[in-house]
């Protein structure tokens, strides 16, 4: 057999290997695409999966950007509220013990509102008890539908409001559980918040287990 005769089987074998490799590559890519589409389909419908799906919202900071966009509110417009307005919607993000993102629907358009709790100030995430305060708030309202009465807008454009979950006043609950201070300078007339903080201090609840917890407003001033 000549060189040409020997080369033919070798060429066929090489062609088969290349074909097999190419098919495997295409198959893997197709499978990955199918999985991503399936994942996207699940994530787009997290709000229909009940508590199991909504609990995934707390891990959004660890997810890739394209996945975050598929989460509830990922592609919603930023909303702007007015003082006295009432906003109702789904809590899709908790930043710390006194700030959340609310997803509301207005005239068929999804809008996101960043809401700062009126009359309270929770430890910053980097402070002692900051993570505990954030997690306490997550446990109360993340994935829940709440009603926010907007009292004012702060200098960052956030809605400052009273947050209600049914008949539960969440601002008050955070102070009563020792997860936040009563912010006297910005809500001087809120006597129930004042009484709740005094009671939490007396019972040494939450952050009051520490002998000298630092006020968040002082922490922010020192760490500008």
């Amino acid at each position: 057999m000549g060189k040409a005769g020997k080369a033919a089987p070798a060429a066929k074998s090489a062609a088969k290997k290349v074909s097999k490799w190419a098919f495997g590559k295409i198959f893997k890519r197709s499978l990955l695409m199918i999985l991503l589409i399936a994942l996207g389909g699940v994530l787009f419908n997290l709000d229909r999966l009940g508590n199991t799906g909504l609990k995934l919202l707390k891990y959004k900071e660890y997810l890739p950007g394209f996945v975050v966009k598929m989460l509830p509110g990922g592609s919603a417009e930023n909303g702007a509220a007015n003082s006295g307005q009432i906003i109702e919607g789904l809590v899709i993000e908790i930043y710390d013990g006194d700030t959340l993102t609310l997803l509301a629907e207005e005239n068929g358009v999804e809008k996101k509102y960043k809401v700062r709790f009126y009359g309270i100030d929770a430890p910053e995430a980097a402070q002692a008890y900051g993570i505990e305060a954030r997690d306490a708030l997550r446990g109360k309202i993340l994935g829940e539908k709440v009603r926010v009465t907007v009292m004012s807008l702060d200098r960052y454009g956030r809605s400052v409001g009273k947050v209600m979950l049914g008949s539960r006043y969440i601002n008050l609950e955070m102070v009563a559980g020792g997860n936040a201070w009563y912010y006297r300078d910005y809500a001087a007339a809120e006597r129930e918040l004042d009484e709740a903080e005094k009671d939490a201090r007396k019972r040494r609840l939450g952050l009051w287990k520490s002998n000298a917890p630092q006020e968040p407003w002082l922490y922010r001033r020192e760490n500008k």
Side-chain angles (χ1 to χ4, degrees), residues 98 116 118-124 127-129 171 174-176 178-184 193-194 197 201 207-208 212-217:
D98 56 32
R116 176 78 163 73
Y118 173 74
I120 77 172
D121 200 2
E124 298 295 323
Q127 274 189 270
Y129 204 77
N171 307 47
M174 288 298 288
V175 176
N179 296 303
W181 274 259
Y182 164 39
Y183 213 176
R184 290 172 176 79
L193 294 179
D194 187 23
E197 184 187 296
R201 283 175 179 261
L207 62 91
W208 303 114
Q214 185 182 29
E215 293 87 343
W217 52 91

PDB file of all heavy atoms in Angstrom, residues 98 116 118-124 127-129 171 174-176 178-184 193-194 197 201 207-208 212-217:
ATOM      1  N   ASP A  98     -32.483  49.509  58.666  1.00  0.00           N
ATOM      2  CA  ASP A  98     -33.479  50.576  58.508  1.00  0.00           C
ATOM      3  C   ASP A  98     -33.647  51.048  57.063  1.00  0.00           C
ATOM      4  O   ASP A  98     -34.152  52.145  56.828  1.00  0.00           O
ATOM      5  CB  ASP A  98     -33.131  51.778  59.402  1.00  0.00           C
ATOM      6  CG  ASP A  98     -31.725  52.322  59.148  1.00  0.00           C
ATOM      7  OD1 ASP A  98     -31.254  52.243  57.996  1.00  0.00           O
ATOM      8  OD2 ASP A  98     -31.102  52.801  60.104  1.00  0.00           O
ATOM      9  N   ARG A 116     -36.193  54.578  53.525  1.00  0.00           N
ATOM     10  CA  ARG A 116     -35.506  54.706  54.809  1.00  0.00           C
ATOM     11  C   ARG A 116     -36.585  54.757  55.878  1.00  0.00           C
ATOM     12  O   ARG A 116     -37.573  55.486  55.746  1.00  0.00           O
ATOM     13  CB  ARG A 116     -34.673  55.992  54.810  1.00  0.00           C
ATOM     14  CG  ARG A 116     -33.965  56.309  56.123  1.00  0.00           C
ATOM     15  CD  ARG A 116     -32.733  55.460  56.294  1.00  0.00           C
ATOM     16  NE  ARG A 116     -31.837  55.995  57.312  1.00  0.00           N
ATOM     17  CZ  ARG A 116     -32.028  55.964  58.615  1.00  0.00           C
ATOM     18  NH1 ARG A 116     -33.142  55.435  59.120  1.00  0.00           N
ATOM     19  NH2 ARG A 116     -31.129  56.454  59.446  1.00  0.00           N
ATOM     20  N   TYR A 118     -38.683  55.723  58.955  1.00  0.00           N
ATOM     21  CA  TYR A 118     -38.895  56.973  59.684  1.00  0.00           C
ATOM     22  C   TYR A 118     -38.722  56.758  61.186  1.00  0.00           C
ATOM     23  O   TYR A 118     -39.231  55.793  61.767  1.00  0.00           O
ATOM     24  CB  TYR A 118     -40.309  57.488  59.402  1.00  0.00           C
ATOM     25  CG  TYR A 118     -40.724  58.685  60.213  1.00  0.00           C
ATOM     26  CD1 TYR A 118     -40.218  59.947  59.929  1.00  0.00           C
ATOM     27  CD2 TYR A 118     -41.635  58.554  61.262  1.00  0.00           C
ATOM     28  CE1 TYR A 118     -40.610  61.063  60.668  1.00  0.00           C
ATOM     29  CE2 TYR A 118     -42.031  59.652  62.009  1.00  0.00           C
ATOM     30  CZ  TYR A 118     -41.506  60.908  61.708  1.00  0.00           C
ATOM     31  OH  TYR A 118     -41.893  61.991  62.445  1.00  0.00           O
ATOM     32  N   GLY A 119     -37.975  57.673  61.819  1.00  0.00           N
ATOM     33  CA  GLY A 119     -37.908  57.697  63.279  1.00  0.00           C
ATOM     34  C   GLY A 119     -36.979  56.694  63.923  1.00  0.00           C
ATOM     35  O   GLY A 119     -36.939  56.610  65.154  1.00  0.00           O
ATOM     36  N   ILE A 120     -36.237  55.924  63.133  1.00  0.00           N
ATOM     37  CA  ILE A 120     -35.325  54.954  63.730  1.00  0.00           C
ATOM     38  C   ILE A 120     -33.969  55.020  63.019  1.00  0.00           C
ATOM     39  O   ILE A 120     -33.864  55.514  61.902  1.00  0.00           O
ATOM     40  CB  ILE A 120     -35.871  53.512  63.690  1.00  0.00           C
ATOM     41  CG1 ILE A 120     -35.721  52.892  62.288  1.00  0.00           C
ATOM     42  CG2 ILE A 120     -37.328  53.469  64.141  1.00  0.00           C
ATOM     43  CD1 ILE A 120     -36.074  51.405  62.246  1.00  0.00           C
ATOM     44  N   ASP A 121     -32.947  54.530  63.700  1.00  0.00           N
ATOM     45  CA  ASP A 121     -31.607  54.467  63.116  1.00  0.00           C
ATOM     46  C   ASP A 121     -30.951  53.188  63.609  1.00  0.00           C
ATOM     47  O   ASP A 121     -30.717  53.028  64.811  1.00  0.00           O
ATOM     48  CB  ASP A 121     -30.786  55.694  63.526  1.00  0.00           C
ATOM     49  CG  ASP A 121     -29.605  55.940  62.603  1.00  0.00           C
ATOM     50  OD1 ASP A 121     -29.445  55.181  61.627  1.00  0.00           O
ATOM     51  OD2 ASP A 121     -28.831  56.886  62.861  1.00  0.00           O
ATOM     52  N   ALA A 122     -30.687  52.281  62.680  1.00  0.00           N
ATOM     53  CA  ALA A 122     -30.084  50.986  63.032  1.00  0.00           C
ATOM     54  C   ALA A 122     -28.576  51.047  62.834  1.00  0.00           C
ATOM     55  O   ALA A 122     -28.065  51.889  62.084  1.00  0.00           O
ATOM     56  CB  ALA A 122     -30.683  49.885  62.161  1.00  0.00           C
ATOM     57  N   PRO A 123     -27.834  50.167  63.494  1.00  0.00           N
ATOM     58  CA  PRO A 123     -26.377  50.142  63.300  1.00  0.00           C
ATOM     59  C   PRO A 123     -26.023  49.927  61.835  1.00  0.00           C
ATOM     60  O   PRO A 123     -26.708  49.186  61.125  1.00  0.00           O
ATOM     61  CB  PRO A 123     -25.936  48.943  64.146  1.00  0.00           C
ATOM     62  CG  PRO A 123     -27.030  48.730  65.129  1.00  0.00           C
ATOM     63  CD  PRO A 123     -28.286  49.131  64.438  1.00  0.00           C
ATOM     64  N   GLU A 124     -24.979  50.595  61.375  1.00  0.00           N
ATOM     65  CA  GLU A 124     -24.480  50.365  60.025  1.00  0.00           C
ATOM     66  C   GLU A 124     -23.966  48.930  59.923  1.00  0.00           C
ATOM     67  O   GLU A 124     -23.590  48.320  60.930  1.00  0.00           O
ATOM     68  CB  GLU A 124     -23.354  51.351  59.694  1.00  0.00           C
ATOM     69  CG  GLU A 124     -23.778  52.808  59.720  1.00  0.00           C
ATOM     70  CD  GLU A 124     -24.791  53.131  58.641  1.00  0.00           C
ATOM     71  OE1 GLU A 124     -24.685  52.591  57.523  1.00  0.00           O
ATOM     72  OE2 GLU A 124     -25.703  53.942  58.905  1.00  0.00           O
ATOM     73  N   GLN A 127     -20.793  48.162  61.601  1.00  0.00           N
ATOM     74  CA  GLN A 127     -20.760  48.351  63.051  1.00  0.00           C
ATOM     75  C   GLN A 127     -21.043  47.055  63.792  1.00  0.00           C
ATOM     76  O   GLN A 127     -21.591  46.105  63.226  1.00  0.00           O
ATOM     77  CB  GLN A 127     -21.845  49.354  63.469  1.00  0.00           C
ATOM     78  CG  GLN A 127     -21.454  50.805  63.398  1.00  0.00           C
ATOM     79  CD  GLN A 127     -22.524  51.672  64.029  1.00  0.00           C
ATOM     80  OE1 GLN A 127     -23.439  52.108  63.338  1.00  0.00           O
ATOM     81  NE2 GLN A 127     -22.422  51.920  65.315  1.00  0.00           N
ATOM     82  N   ALA A 128     -20.721  47.062  65.075  1.00  0.00           N
ATOM     83  CA  ALA A 128     -21.137  45.956  65.937  1.00  0.00           C
ATOM     84  C   ALA A 128     -22.660  45.878  65.912  1.00  0.00           C
ATOM     85  O   ALA A 128     -23.341  46.900  65.988  1.00  0.00           O
ATOM     86  CB  ALA A 128     -20.644  46.188  67.364  1.00  0.00           C
ATOM     87  N   TYR A 129     -23.192  44.693  65.771  1.00  0.00           N
ATOM     88  CA  TYR A 129     -24.621  44.381  65.725  1.00  0.00           C
ATOM     89  C   TYR A 129     -25.294  44.835  64.436  1.00  0.00           C
ATOM     90  O   TYR A 129     -26.508  44.693  64.277  1.00  0.00           O
ATOM     91  CB  TYR A 129     -25.377  44.978  66.933  1.00  0.00           C
ATOM     92  CG  TYR A 129     -26.655  44.209  67.229  1.00  0.00           C
ATOM     93  CD1 TYR A 129     -26.619  42.979  67.889  1.00  0.00           C
ATOM     94  CD2 TYR A 129     -27.889  44.704  66.805  1.00  0.00           C
ATOM     95  CE1 TYR A 129     -27.786  42.267  68.119  1.00  0.00           C
ATOM     96  CE2 TYR A 129     -29.056  43.984  67.032  1.00  0.00           C
ATOM     97  CZ  TYR A 129     -29.000  42.767  67.691  1.00  0.00           C
ATOM     98  OH  TYR A 129     -30.144  42.054  67.915  1.00  0.00           O
ATOM     99  N   ASN A 171     -41.329  49.741  62.058  1.00  0.00           N
ATOM    100  CA  ASN A 171     -40.392  50.697  62.667  1.00  0.00           C
ATOM    101  C   ASN A 171     -40.357  50.482  64.175  1.00  0.00           C
ATOM    102  O   ASN A 171     -39.282  50.418  64.792  1.00  0.00           O
ATOM    103  CB  ASN A 171     -40.815  52.139  62.381  1.00  0.00           C
ATOM    104  CG  ASN A 171     -41.035  52.435  60.911  1.00  0.00           C
ATOM    105  OD1 ASN A 171     -41.703  51.672  60.213  1.00  0.00           O
ATOM    106  ND2 ASN A 171     -40.497  53.547  60.437  1.00  0.00           N
ATOM    107  N   MET A 174     -38.675  47.162  65.313  1.00  0.00           N
ATOM    108  CA  MET A 174     -37.208  47.168  65.268  1.00  0.00           C
ATOM    109  C   MET A 174     -36.625  47.819  66.523  1.00  0.00           C
ATOM    110  O   MET A 174     -35.622  47.350  67.071  1.00  0.00           O
ATOM    111  CB  MET A 174     -36.727  47.890  64.014  1.00  0.00           C
ATOM    112  CG  MET A 174     -36.962  47.102  62.729  1.00  0.00           C
ATOM    113  SD  MET A 174     -36.065  45.520  62.692  1.00  0.00           S
ATOM    114  CE  MET A 174     -34.375  46.105  62.465  1.00  0.00           C
ATOM    115  N   VAL A 175     -37.246  48.881  66.986  1.00  0.00           N
ATOM    116  CA  VAL A 175     -36.773  49.539  68.209  1.00  0.00           C
ATOM    117  C   VAL A 175     -37.091  48.685  69.428  1.00  0.00           C
ATOM    118  O   VAL A 175     -36.245  48.507  70.318  1.00  0.00           O
ATOM    119  CB  VAL A 175     -37.406  50.942  68.351  1.00  0.00           C
ATOM    120  CG1 VAL A 175     -36.996  51.585  69.679  1.00  0.00           C
ATOM    121  CG2 VAL A 175     -36.989  51.835  67.193  1.00  0.00           C
ATOM    122  N   ALA A 176     -38.299  48.140  69.473  1.00  0.00           N
ATOM    123  CA  ALA A 176     -38.727  47.346  70.625  1.00  0.00           C
ATOM    124  C   ALA A 176     -37.885  46.083  70.803  1.00  0.00           C
ATOM    125  O   ALA A 176     -37.695  45.610  71.927  1.00  0.00           O
ATOM    126  CB  ALA A 176     -40.199  46.960  70.472  1.00  0.00           C
ATOM    127  N   GLY A 178     -34.714  45.910  70.208  1.00  0.00           N
ATOM    128  CA  GLY A 178     -33.321  46.259  70.442  1.00  0.00           C
ATOM    129  C   GLY A 178     -32.469  46.196  69.185  1.00  0.00           C
ATOM    130  O   GLY A 178     -31.257  45.997  69.259  1.00  0.00           O
ATOM    131  N   ASN A 179     -33.109  46.396  68.026  1.00  0.00           N
ATOM    132  CA  ASN A 179     -32.388  46.342  66.750  1.00  0.00           C
ATOM    133  C   ASN A 179     -32.134  47.721  66.146  1.00  0.00           C
ATOM    134  O   ASN A 179     -31.511  47.818  65.086  1.00  0.00           O
ATOM    135  CB  ASN A 179     -33.180  45.496  65.747  1.00  0.00           C
ATOM    136  CG  ASN A 179     -33.298  44.057  66.194  1.00  0.00           C
ATOM    137  OD1 ASN A 179     -32.301  43.396  66.417  1.00  0.00           O
ATOM    138  ND2 ASN A 179     -34.527  43.575  66.342  1.00  0.00           N
ATOM    139  N   ALA A 180     -32.606  48.772  66.816  1.00  0.00           N
ATOM    140  CA  ALA A 180     -32.417  50.128  66.300  1.00  0.00           C
ATOM    141  C   ALA A 180     -32.649  51.139  67.417  1.00  0.00           C
ATOM    142  O   ALA A 180     -33.312  50.856  68.413  1.00  0.00           O
ATOM    143  CB  ALA A 180     -33.382  50.399  65.140  1.00  0.00           C
ATOM    144  N   TRP A 181     -32.079  52.322  67.233  1.00  0.00           N
ATOM    145  CA  TRP A 181     -32.309  53.457  68.127  1.00  0.00           C
ATOM    146  C   TRP A 181     -33.552  54.220  67.682  1.00  0.00           C
ATOM    147  O   TRP A 181     -33.918  54.193  66.500  1.00  0.00           O
ATOM    148  CB  TRP A 181     -31.143  54.440  68.054  1.00  0.00           C
ATOM    149  CG  TRP A 181     -29.959  54.178  68.929  1.00  0.00           C
ATOM    150  CD1 TRP A 181     -29.660  54.794  70.122  1.00  0.00           C
ATOM    151  CD2 TRP A 181     -28.879  53.294  68.671  1.00  0.00           C
ATOM    152  NE1 TRP A 181     -28.462  54.322  70.611  1.00  0.00           N
ATOM    153  CE2 TRP A 181     -27.955  53.403  69.738  1.00  0.00           C
ATOM    154  CE3 TRP A 181     -28.590  52.403  67.622  1.00  0.00           C
ATOM    155  CZ2 TRP A 181     -26.785  52.669  69.794  1.00  0.00           C
ATOM    156  CZ3 TRP A 181     -27.431  51.657  67.683  1.00  0.00           C
ATOM    157  CH2 TRP A 181     -26.539  51.793  68.759  1.00  0.00           C
ATOM    158  N   TYR A 182     -34.160  54.888  68.623  1.00  0.00           N
ATOM    159  CA  TYR A 182     -35.171  55.893  68.297  1.00  0.00           C
ATOM    160  C   TYR A 182     -34.400  57.125  67.833  1.00  0.00           C
ATOM    161  O   TYR A 182     -33.556  57.658  68.542  1.00  0.00           O
ATOM    162  CB  TYR A 182     -36.017  56.190  69.533  1.00  0.00           C
ATOM    163  CG  TYR A 182     -36.845  57.450  69.489  1.00  0.00           C
ATOM    164  CD1 TYR A 182     -37.495  57.859  68.319  1.00  0.00           C
ATOM    165  CD2 TYR A 182     -36.998  58.241  70.631  1.00  0.00           C
ATOM    166  CE1 TYR A 182     -38.255  59.012  68.290  1.00  0.00           C
ATOM    167  CE2 TYR A 182     -37.764  59.397  70.616  1.00  0.00           C
ATOM    168  CZ  TYR A 182     -38.376  59.785  69.439  1.00  0.00           C
ATOM    169  OH  TYR A 182     -39.135  60.930  69.412  1.00  0.00           O
ATOM    170  N   TYR A 183     -34.701  57.615  66.625  1.00  0.00           N
ATOM    171  CA  TYR A 183     -33.977  58.733  66.018  1.00  0.00           C
ATOM    172  C   TYR A 183     -34.673  60.035  66.400  1.00  0.00           C
ATOM    173  O   TYR A 183     -35.398  60.641  65.607  1.00  0.00           O
ATOM    174  CB  TYR A 183     -33.947  58.547  64.502  1.00  0.00           C
ATOM    175  CG  TYR A 183     -32.715  59.069  63.813  1.00  0.00           C
ATOM    176  CD1 TYR A 183     -32.551  58.882  62.444  1.00  0.00           C
ATOM    177  CD2 TYR A 183     -31.717  59.758  64.499  1.00  0.00           C
ATOM    178  CE1 TYR A 183     -31.423  59.354  61.773  1.00  0.00           C
ATOM    179  CE2 TYR A 183     -30.589  60.227  63.858  1.00  0.00           C
ATOM    180  CZ  TYR A 183     -30.447  60.027  62.490  1.00  0.00           C
ATOM    181  OH  TYR A 183     -29.323  60.497  61.841  1.00  0.00           O
ATOM    182  N   ARG A 184     -34.435  60.502  67.615  1.00  0.00           N
ATOM    183  CA  ARG A 184     -35.158  61.632  68.179  1.00  0.00           C
ATOM    184  C   ARG A 184     -35.054  62.909  67.349  1.00  0.00           C
ATOM    185  O   ARG A 184     -36.022  63.658  67.228  1.00  0.00           O
ATOM    186  CB  ARG A 184     -34.643  61.903  69.594  1.00  0.00           C
ATOM    187  CG  ARG A 184     -35.027  60.830  70.590  1.00  0.00           C
ATOM    188  CD  ARG A 184     -34.341  61.049  71.929  1.00  0.00           C
ATOM    189  NE  ARG A 184     -34.803  60.057  72.904  1.00  0.00           N
ATOM    190  CZ  ARG A 184     -34.360  58.802  72.941  1.00  0.00           C
ATOM    191  NH1 ARG A 184     -33.447  58.392  72.058  1.00  0.00           N
ATOM    192  NH2 ARG A 184     -34.824  57.950  73.831  1.00  0.00           N
ATOM    193  N   LEU A 193     -42.047  55.241  70.010  1.00  0.00           N
ATOM    194  CA  LEU A 193     -40.683  54.803  69.708  1.00  0.00           C
ATOM    195  C   LEU A 193     -39.773  55.085  70.888  1.00  0.00           C
ATOM    196  O   LEU A 193     -38.883  54.288  71.218  1.00  0.00           O
ATOM    197  CB  LEU A 193     -40.160  55.519  68.456  1.00  0.00           C
ATOM    198  CG  LEU A 193     -40.845  55.192  67.128  1.00  0.00           C
ATOM    199  CD1 LEU A 193     -40.225  56.005  65.992  1.00  0.00           C
ATOM    200  CD2 LEU A 193     -40.755  53.702  66.806  1.00  0.00           C
ATOM    201  N   ASP A 194     -39.992  56.201  71.545  1.00  0.00           N
ATOM    202  CA  ASP A 194     -39.215  56.569  72.728  1.00  0.00           C
ATOM    203  C   ASP A 194     -39.419  55.538  73.833  1.00  0.00           C
ATOM    204  O   ASP A 194     -38.453  55.053  74.447  1.00  0.00           O
ATOM    205  CB  ASP A 194     -39.654  57.960  73.201  1.00  0.00           C
ATOM    206  CG  ASP A 194     -38.772  58.498  74.317  1.00  0.00           C
ATOM    207  OD1 ASP A 194     -37.616  58.042  74.438  1.00  0.00           O
ATOM    208  OD2 ASP A 194     -39.230  59.379  75.060  1.00  0.00           O
ATOM    209  N   GLU A 197     -37.745  52.160  73.013  1.00  0.00           N
ATOM    210  CA  GLU A 197     -36.296  52.117  73.238  1.00  0.00           C
ATOM    211  C   GLU A 197     -35.973  52.004  74.732  1.00  0.00           C
ATOM    212  O   GLU A 197     -35.088  51.231  75.134  1.00  0.00           O
ATOM    213  CB  GLU A 197     -35.620  53.367  72.674  1.00  0.00           C
ATOM    214  CG  GLU A 197     -34.102  53.296  72.816  1.00  0.00           C
ATOM    215  CD  GLU A 197     -33.384  54.566  72.444  1.00  0.00           C
ATOM    216  OE1 GLU A 197     -33.452  54.956  71.256  1.00  0.00           O
ATOM    217  OE2 GLU A 197     -32.755  55.170  73.343  1.00  0.00           O
ATOM    218  N   ARG A 201     -33.814  48.962  76.314  1.00  0.00           N
ATOM    219  CA  ARG A 201     -32.612  49.226  77.111  1.00  0.00           C
ATOM    220  C   ARG A 201     -32.706  48.536  78.472  1.00  0.00           C
ATOM    221  O   ARG A 201     -31.756  47.888  78.927  1.00  0.00           O
ATOM    222  CB  ARG A 201     -32.445  50.732  77.336  1.00  0.00           C
ATOM    223  CG  ARG A 201     -31.898  51.527  76.157  1.00  0.00           C
ATOM    224  CD  ARG A 201     -31.921  53.012  76.520  1.00  0.00           C
ATOM    225  NE  ARG A 201     -31.411  53.870  75.480  1.00  0.00           N
ATOM    226  CZ  ARG A 201     -30.177  54.371  75.448  1.00  0.00           C
ATOM    227  NH1 ARG A 201     -29.317  54.063  76.409  1.00  0.00           N
ATOM    228  NH2 ARG A 201     -29.795  55.168  74.472  1.00  0.00           N
ATOM    229  N   LEU A 207     -28.989  45.054  70.633  1.00  0.00           N
ATOM    230  CA  LEU A 207     -27.754  45.824  70.738  1.00  0.00           C
ATOM    231  C   LEU A 207     -27.511  46.340  72.154  1.00  0.00           C
ATOM    232  O   LEU A 207     -26.370  46.708  72.503  1.00  0.00           O
ATOM    233  CB  LEU A 207     -27.763  46.984  69.739  1.00  0.00           C
ATOM    234  CG  LEU A 207     -28.836  48.064  69.873  1.00  0.00           C
ATOM    235  CD1 LEU A 207     -28.362  49.203  70.759  1.00  0.00           C
ATOM    236  CD2 LEU A 207     -29.209  48.607  68.495  1.00  0.00           C
ATOM    237  N   TRP A 208     -28.550  46.364  72.982  1.00  0.00           N
ATOM    238  CA  TRP A 208     -28.409  46.855  74.351  1.00  0.00           C
ATOM    239  C   TRP A 208     -27.759  45.843  75.274  1.00  0.00           C
ATOM    240  O   TRP A 208     -27.532  46.118  76.460  1.00  0.00           O
ATOM    241  CB  TRP A 208     -29.761  47.302  74.906  1.00  0.00           C
ATOM    242  CG  TRP A 208     -30.397  48.358  74.052  1.00  0.00           C
ATOM    243  CD1 TRP A 208     -31.541  48.245  73.325  1.00  0.00           C
ATOM    244  CD2 TRP A 208     -29.895  49.674  73.799  1.00  0.00           C
ATOM    245  NE1 TRP A 208     -31.798  49.395  72.642  1.00  0.00           N
ATOM    246  CE2 TRP A 208     -30.806  50.300  72.905  1.00  0.00           C
ATOM    247  CE3 TRP A 208     -28.774  50.382  74.233  1.00  0.00           C
ATOM    248  CZ2 TRP A 208     -30.623  51.597  72.447  1.00  0.00           C
ATOM    249  CZ3 TRP A 208     -28.587  51.678  73.777  1.00  0.00           C
ATOM    250  CH2 TRP A 208     -29.496  52.267  72.896  1.00  0.00           C
ATOM    251  N   ALA A 212     -21.970  49.745  75.990  1.00  0.00           N
ATOM    252  CA  ALA A 212     -21.836  51.063  75.372  1.00  0.00           C
ATOM    253  C   ALA A 212     -21.915  50.973  73.845  1.00  0.00           C
ATOM    254  O   ALA A 212     -20.919  51.199  73.154  1.00  0.00           O
ATOM    255  CB  ALA A 212     -20.524  51.708  75.806  1.00  0.00           C
ATOM    256  N   PRO A 213     -23.085  50.630  73.298  1.00  0.00           N
ATOM    257  CA  PRO A 213     -23.207  50.586  71.833  1.00  0.00           C
ATOM    258  C   PRO A 213     -23.067  51.985  71.247  1.00  0.00           C
ATOM    259  O   PRO A 213     -23.557  52.953  71.830  1.00  0.00           O
ATOM    260  CB  PRO A 213     -24.618  50.018  71.620  1.00  0.00           C
ATOM    261  CG  PRO A 213     -25.365  50.406  72.854  1.00  0.00           C
ATOM    262  CD  PRO A 213     -24.366  50.332  73.967  1.00  0.00           C
ATOM    263  N   GLN A 214     -22.403  52.090  70.113  1.00  0.00           N
ATOM    264  CA  GLN A 214     -22.192  53.398  69.495  1.00  0.00           C
ATOM    265  C   GLN A 214     -23.368  53.776  68.603  1.00  0.00           C
ATOM    266  O   GLN A 214     -23.804  52.985  67.769  1.00  0.00           O
ATOM    267  CB  GLN A 214     -20.905  53.415  68.677  1.00  0.00           C
ATOM    268  CG  GLN A 214     -20.569  54.791  68.108  1.00  0.00           C
ATOM    269  CD  GLN A 214     -19.316  54.804  67.266  1.00  0.00           C
ATOM    270  OE1 GLN A 214     -18.965  53.792  66.654  1.00  0.00           O
ATOM    271  NE2 GLN A 214     -18.623  55.930  67.226  1.00  0.00           N
ATOM    272  N   GLU A 215     -23.847  54.985  68.763  1.00  0.00           N
ATOM    273  CA  GLU A 215     -24.955  55.458  67.951  1.00  0.00           C
ATOM    274  C   GLU A 215     -24.527  55.524  66.481  1.00  0.00           C
ATOM    275  O   GLU A 215     -23.420  55.978  66.180  1.00  0.00           O
ATOM    276  CB  GLU A 215     -25.392  56.857  68.393  1.00  0.00           C
ATOM    277  CG  GLU A 215     -26.011  56.904  69.777  1.00  0.00           C
ATOM    278  CD  GLU A 215     -24.975  57.070  70.883  1.00  0.00           C
ATOM    279  OE1 GLU A 215     -23.777  56.832  70.613  1.00  0.00           O
ATOM    280  OE2 GLU A 215     -25.373  57.428  72.000  1.00  0.00           O
ATOM    281  N   PRO A 216     -25.376  55.074  65.570  1.00  0.00           N
ATOM    282  CA  PRO A 216     -25.019  55.061  64.138  1.00  0.00           C
ATOM    283  C   PRO A 216     -24.664  56.428  63.590  1.00  0.00           C
ATOM    284  O   PRO A 216     -23.788  56.549  62.734  1.00  0.00           O
ATOM    285  CB  PRO A 216     -26.276  54.507  63.460  1.00  0.00           C
ATOM    286  CG  PRO A 216     -27.011  53.786  64.528  1.00  0.00           C
ATOM    287  CD  PRO A 216     -26.704  54.505  65.803  1.00  0.00           C
ATOM    288  N   TRP A 217     -25.362  57.490  64.047  1.00  0.00           N
ATOM    289  CA  TRP A 217     -25.074  58.829  63.527  1.00  0.00           C
ATOM    290  C   TRP A 217     -23.664  59.297  63.934  1.00  0.00           C
ATOM    291  O   TRP A 217     -23.002  59.997  63.167  1.00  0.00           O
ATOM    292  CB  TRP A 217     -26.139  59.828  63.962  1.00  0.00           C
ATOM    293  CG  TRP A 217     -26.433  59.885  65.427  1.00  0.00           C
ATOM    294  CD1 TRP A 217     -25.838  60.698  66.355  1.00  0.00           C
ATOM    295  CD2 TRP A 217     -27.414  59.112  66.138  1.00  0.00           C
ATOM    296  NE1 TRP A 217     -26.376  60.489  67.601  1.00  0.00           N
ATOM    297  CE2 TRP A 217     -27.360  59.520  67.499  1.00  0.00           C
ATOM    298  CE3 TRP A 217     -28.343  58.137  65.763  1.00  0.00           C
ATOM    299  CZ2 TRP A 217     -28.179  58.977  68.482  1.00  0.00           C
ATOM    300  CZ3 TRP A 217     -29.158  57.595  66.734  1.00  0.00           C
ATOM    301  CH2 TRP A 217     -29.075  58.004  68.074  1.00  0.00           C
TER     302      TRP A 217
END
